[in-house]
Amino acid sequence: MLDIKLFRENPELVRQGLKNKNEKDRVDEVLELDKQRRELIIQADELKTHRNQVSAQVGQLKKAGQDASAIIAEMKRVGDQIAEFDGKLNKVEEDLDSLLRYIANLAHESVPVGKSAADNVETKRWLPEGFSFENDFKILDHIELGKKLKILDFERGAKITGSGFPLYIGKGATLERALINYMLDLHIHEHGYTEIFPPFLVNKDSMRGTGQLPKMEEDMYHIEKDGLYPIPTAEVPITNIHRDDILNEKDLPIKYVGYSACFRREAGSYGKDSKGFLRVHQFNKVEMVKFVKPETSYNELELLVKDAEDILQKLNVPYRLLMLCTGDLSFSAAKCYDIETWSPAENRWLEASSCSNFEFFQARRANIRFRNEATKKPELVHTLNGSGLATSRLMVSILENNQTPEGKILVPKALQKYTGFEIIE
RNA sequence: GGAGAGAUGGCAGAGUGGUUGAAUGCGGCGGUCUUGAAAACCGUUAAGGAUGCAAGUCCUUCCGGGGUUCGAAUCCCUGUCUCUCCGCCA
């Protein structure tokens, strides 16, 4: 969430920022609640000071064996007044907190202002040697390939669970697992990340910490009986590792990478992009998360994107890099790059990674701080995360781009020692 | 799932309902001593909020929530977590 001080000191900046992000302007509501809050605190604190002083007196009188019943009776009335103010104050603070949690992060100044995905800016395009958008044989899509080679079975996945729960079989399953292991190893051994294997279910506090709740409640699966949520991304458990922590400055930046299955309800998105792997309820993802000092976060974002790109270059997958405009940025992000891989069958780019800087937004919600060595005071960190990468859409690009005219799949060189085979036929 | 014990500052560990934000020890930081270091000694060492230019002053916080009381780390209820024993189990 945003800093309440920003609303007090520069309301117009917040107003414009929310407008750029296509968000509702609720600045005046925040300021009004903030004003009420401060007035109540002043009144309640005054009474409490009084109570504390008189209560100490009562103690001394009793010790001296004297009668204190008169001031005790008076203090009872003061106590009731305090309870009244505290009740009002709690209500106002709850309202303010929940309002702030519904307000989106503001975009960084380097982000282009725009209304929708159409205004995103392509900043880079990388194509493997010898790659061409034209093909001299009929390209099969990943669903046809998966069926023909008996490596993917979307119908049986739907029978077992429901649509959007893919089933991998034989070499398809091996390829998926190889991809996950390959990506993890690269990030751990070459990019300097610490491996995490997180829980796949989290509690409400964790979902609030990273910003999925309360606003995106409808997009989440929810196990009501136990109050738990299947994670939509490993970002949630990994970022919450340090919820309420005060980190050592010398340990920053902290870089974690972890695999998890990801669960998303994708409510309301049926019919759109819903075939095969394009939009699923369960998929696999390797996620990178960083906790950094604020002044380094934009540099760290560039490095994060590089770490994700490195995977695609080593796997020879054609991709492009987009800088999202203000209107297409997610709720929590201040700046975000999407990486899209090429699908020759779809004849378009598919989002396979999203790398974001959240600045203080998550850190403030989750209360993640570090101790500044110079000032000795705790300060909020910046958090970042990026997929590195999601396997489902990446799998589409790998299968489709590596097919032969006979409909076989050539396994990318880098993956072969992980799969143990070079071809799927 | 059943029975019991517990949760206090960075850590360890006291705490009779009344100057307890909290003894003591360790650790950290600063200093004295020393050529330097160690030891010893002295001092210092929580977070959040309100107010103020600031120094400061005040409020809250002893796992979370509720209650009793003039006053709660301390008493009551409740939730969570940890440990021990039993049951079940990959």
Side-chain angles (χ1 to χ4, degrees):
Chain A
M1 58 188 164
L2 296 173
D3 190 352
I4 184 71
K5 290 192 190 112
L6 191 60
F7 286 82
R8 285 178 203 159
E9 288 160 12
N10 206 339
E12 292 316 311
L13 182 87
V14 179
R15 229 183 276 284
Q16 184 60 43
L18 291 176
K19 192 178 163 202
N20 287 347
K21 260 191 126 175
N22 293 335
E23 294 280 340
K24 199 172 159 192
D25 178 358
R26 307 190 69 173
V27 174
D28 291 331
E29 289 171 72
V30 170
L31 289 175
E32 174 56 28
L33 283 171
D34 181 49
K35 189 172 147 229
Q36 285 179 26
R37 171 174 176 270
R38 287 192 281 173
E39 282 168 0
L40 286 167
I41 286 174
I42 289 170
Q43 296 177 77
D45 278 4
E46 215 165 275
L47 288 170
K48 283 176 188 173
T49 307
H50 183 46
R51 178 179 69 183
N52 288 346
Q53 287 168 349
V54 177
S55 289
Q57 259 177 37
V58 172
Q60 296 196 336
L61 285 174
K62 292 229 167 174
K63 223 176 232 170
Q66 295 175 350
D67 176 55
S69 54
I71 52 177
I72 285 177
E74 193 218 326
M75 278 304 107
K76 188 160 175 59
R77 282 194 300 279
V78 173
D80 291 343
Q81 281 176 22
I82 289 172
E84 200 179 308
F85 277 115
D86 274 349
K88 283 186 197 164
L89 182 60
N90 279 341
K91 174 79 171 63
V92 168
E93 288 192 327
E94 267 172 40
D95 288 351
L96 182 58
D97 185 66
S98 80
L99 178 56
L100 284 173
R101 281 175 186 276
Y102 270 97
I103 294 175
N105 199 3
L106 305 181
H108 186 249
E109 57 187 12
S110 64
V111 174
V113 175
K115 287 232 176 319
S116 69
D119 300 319
N120 294 341
V121 178
E122 182 175 323
T123 59
K124 180 176 182 177
R125 190 176 280 216
W126 186 91
L127 304 171
E129 258 186 64
F131 174 83
S132 167
F133 287 104
E134 309 300 324
N135 292 284
D136 42 19
F137 60 89
K138 179 166 167 32
I139 290 288
L140 301 180
D141 72 24
H142 72 281
I143 301 173
E144 296 167 308
L145 286 167
K147 201 167 196 167
K148 191 165 162 245
L149 297 167
K150 297 191 169 57
I151 56 172
L152 300 173
D153 195 330
F154 292 100
E155 283 82 12
R156 283 199 165 82
K159 176 173 80 174
I160 298 165
T161 306
S163 79
F165 289 88
L167 176 69
Y168 303 71
I169 297 171
K171 286 184 172 173
T174 306
L175 182 60
E176 177 77 358
R177 186 162 51 82
L179 209 44
I180 293 165
N181 282 331
Y182 173 68
M183 295 191 290
L184 281 172
D185 281 348
L186 194 69
H187 292 314
I188 294 159
H189 299 304
E190 294 190 23
H191 301 156
Y193 290 76
T194 300
E195 183 171 9
I196 302 291
F197 205 119
F200 291 179
L201 301 182
V202 298
N203 59 31
K204 196 166 194 163
D205 286 339
S206 292
M207 289 296 256
R208 288 165 68 87
T210 33
Q212 280 73 22
L213 291 180
K215 205 172 179 188
M216 270 78 84
E217 176 111 48
E218 280 309 296
D219 297 324
M220 307 301 149
Y221 286 101
H222 185 196
I223 300 169
E224 266 177 60
K225 192 167 185 180
D226 300 289
L228 298 175
Y229 298 80
I231 54 175
T233 158
E235 162 196 345
V236 179
I238 296 177
T239 305
N240 277 283
I241 289 172
H242 292 304
R243 172 151 48 86
D244 293 323
D245 275 355
I246 299 176
L247 304 164
N248 292 321
E249 181 174 345
K250 64 175 164 48
D251 294 334
L252 301 178
I254 293 173
K255 297 160 67 177
Y256 291 139
V257 65
Y259 154 78
S260 87
C262 302
F263 304 90
R264 299 186 180 181
R265 291 186 69 225
E266 301 291 351
S269 65
Y270 284 101
K272 188 182 158 205
D273 279 356
S274 59
K275 63 179 177 179
F277 272 138
L278 296 187
R279 189 175 296 274
V280 285
H281 293 302
Q282 180 185 325
F283 61 96
N284 295 308
K285 184 157 61 69
V286 168
E287 184 78 4
M288 302 173 283
V289 175
K290 291 187 184 183
F291 304 84
V292 309
K293 286 195 271 181
E295 64 269 24
T296 66
S297 70
Y298 280 94
N299 184 42
E300 292 287 348
L301 177 62
E302 299 300 319
L303 296 174
L304 185 69
V305 174
K306 271 210 181 82
D307 291 337
E309 284 183 73
D310 192 31
I311 302 266
L312 294 172
Q313 294 184 8
K314 290 196 158 81
L315 291 176
N316 259 315
V317 176
Y319 69 89
R320 67 172 185 172
L321 200 57
L322 294 180
M323 194 197 298
L324 299 197
C325 73
T326 55
D328 201 32
L329 271 184
S330 72
F331 180 70
S332 307
K335 183 171 185 173
C336 176
Y337 292 100
D338 274 3
I339 299 176
E340 298 185 332
T341 61
W342 178 251
S343 160
E346 290 288 317
N347 197 39
R348 63 186 173 109
W349 301 96
L350 303 174
E351 179 186 336
S353 173
S354 203
C355 298
S356 308
N357 185 357
F358 302 98
E359 298 191 0
F360 294 122
F361 195 77
Q362 291 182 331
R364 185 171 288 110
R365 285 175 164 246
N367 195 25
I368 305 170
R369 295 171 292 174
F370 73 99
R371 192 170 298 279
N372 184 316
E373 294 287 347
T375 65
K376 307 280 186 215
K377 289 289 164 195
E379 293 174 16
L380 293 170
V381 297
H382 277 188
T383 63
L384 302 91
N385 67 57
S387 5
L389 309 125
T391 60
S392 46
R393 304 227 180 106
L394 177 56
M395 187 69 96
V396 172
S397 288
I398 287 178
L399 295 179
E400 292 180 0
N401 283 300
N402 292 294
Q403 63 183 294
T404 66
E406 302 77 40
K408 300 175 182 179
I409 310 287
L410 301 173
V411 176
K413 268 241 161 11
L415 279 182
Q416 288 175 5
K417 79 170 186 217
Y418 287 84
T419 55
F421 51 80
E422 297 171 12
I423 191 163
I424 303 174
E425 52 192 338

